[in-house]
Amino acid sequence: MPHDSAHSLDSVFDWIDAQHRARRDAGLARTLRPRPARPSGDTSTTDLAGNDYLGLCRHPRVTRAAAAAAHRWGAGATGSRLVSGSTELHAELERSLAEFCGFEAALVLSSGYAANLAAVTALAGPPDPAGTPSLLVSDEGNHASLIDGCRLARARKAVVPHADPAAVRKALTAHPGRALVVTDSVFSVDGDAAPLADLARVCRERGAGLLVDDAHGLGVLGEGGRGAPHAAGLAGAADVVATVTLSKSLGSQGGAVLGPARVITHLVNTARTFVFDTGLAPAAAGAALAALDVLRREPDRVTRVRAVAGGLHRRLTAAGFTAVRPDAAVVSVRAPTPEAAVRWQAACRAEGLAVGCFRPPSVPDGVSRLRLTARADLSDREVEQAVATIVRTAPAGARGLRPERGL
């Protein structure tokens, strides 16, 4: 029977309109807000929303290195890393990251998201010789990239309560085969740190591997910013793999997997987000290399960003707000409702303060928050002004809220 082709074409995606209306009516629709270019020296807006923890995104050495790499190697990598997308910069960056963080080897990918997908799916592995599938044990607070990696992997999954080594031990004990425990080092919503040493102890009791996403730890935790695995004494261990992003403390873009050389070789041969993805742009690789060098030369940036985070927390809790005590650079401040959180963020923005806003469904615990990110290049005066703005614009009911899961 013939179809009305015009009607069919127009109605194919009608279901999208219904979903958008539902999100809009619930106040959950997301929109893109282009960030205007900020002239050098412009202080009209204070940024506590981005993840430029060490203030290196605009550092002259970093931006000059990005420009020089683009001039020498071109605007793009031109192909996958295995075809034409590997340059001397990529190799140098991998050596530098591995040496700085204390691991045997590293592999650079186009994003931290791609690095997590690569590591989780490749290290889940096939069933063991007895035919038992491997097990992935994932913290319920893990970043979406780790969750998606677990979903894509051909393995059994166990989601365990947040930061609970006993629950990890229980999940591992119930599984007879190979297993990998997957966790953030610093959780991106609340900014609390995982108990890495305890998790490693549990993994070693049961012969499991440990995969740590150190996106929010690199540049903030460990000696000289070498990251959370380094701080926990796990860097370079034969049973530990870490992932990092180059887009936070290093102010660039891209991601990397760090671990034993045989793990990196395995990823080169099996990780689909490495094999089939265009390599990281040379400009980003050059910028990350320069930022890593600045971090080596200026370790005080690490101390400063922690001090700024602590200062934000102290001032906000003293003003009556419920805020997470920061283990790294993220400070989470509870809001009374999702709608209040959105209004609070908008009011801050209107007064020249950019802050993050996390609310359902992005947060599975249902707790809406402002998410503040400390930066090493913020002055004490800027911190004081930011807190004053948050206090002044706070919605009714924002003070004295009952703590929830670490808040």
Side-chain angles (χ1 to χ4, degrees), residues 4 8 24 28 34-35 37 39 103 124 142 206 327 336 360 393 401:
D4 182 339
S8 298
R24 183 193 59 205
L28 299 176
R35 175 167 57 92
F103 286 85
N142 278 345
R206 307 304 306 174
D327 288 324
T393 59
L401 291 169

Side-chain angles (χ1 to χ4, degrees), residues 7 13 26 30 50 69 97-98 141 148-149 200 212-213 241 246-247 260 289 301 312 334 360 372 387 407:
H7 175 75
F13 295 121
R30 297 181 175 96
L97 282 169
D148 288 351
V212 180
D213 176 0
V241 175
L246 313 179
S247 62
L289 261 172
R301 288 178 181 265
L312 286 167
R334 191 178 173 198
L372 317 177
V387 171
L407 279 169

Side-chain angles (χ1 to χ4, degrees), residues 35-45 58-60 63:
R35 175 167 57 92
R38 181 178 176 182
S40 179
D42 177 18
T43 58
S44 59
T45 300
R58 294 175 177 274
H59 192 285
T63 55

Side-chain angles (χ1 to χ4, degrees), residues 96-167:
S96 295
L97 282 169
E99 185 276 329
F100 181 76
C101 297
F103 286 85
E104 187 177 9
L107 185 67
V108 167
L109 292 90
S110 61
S111 71
Y113 211 111
N116 275 340
L117 293 182
V120 175
T121 56
L123 295 179
D128 65 18
T132 304
S134 59
L135 174 70
L136 290 168
V137 182
S138 177
D139 187 293
E140 68 176 355
N142 278 345
H143 187 263
S145 55
L146 291 177
I147 294 170
D148 288 351
C150 290
R151 288 172 174 169
L152 288 170
R154 297 175 181 176
R156 293 177 179 170
K157 291 89 176 176
V159 179
V160 294
H162 179 59
D164 189 344

Side-chain angles (χ1 to χ4, degrees), residues 2 39-40 64 79 92 124 153 181 190 192 237 261 300 345 363-364 378 384 388 391 395 406:
S40 179
R64 283 198 300 267
E92 185 181 355
V181 174
D190 284 342
D192 58 319
D300 287 351
Q345 180 192 40
V363 285
L378 288 176
E384 291 170 2
V391 171

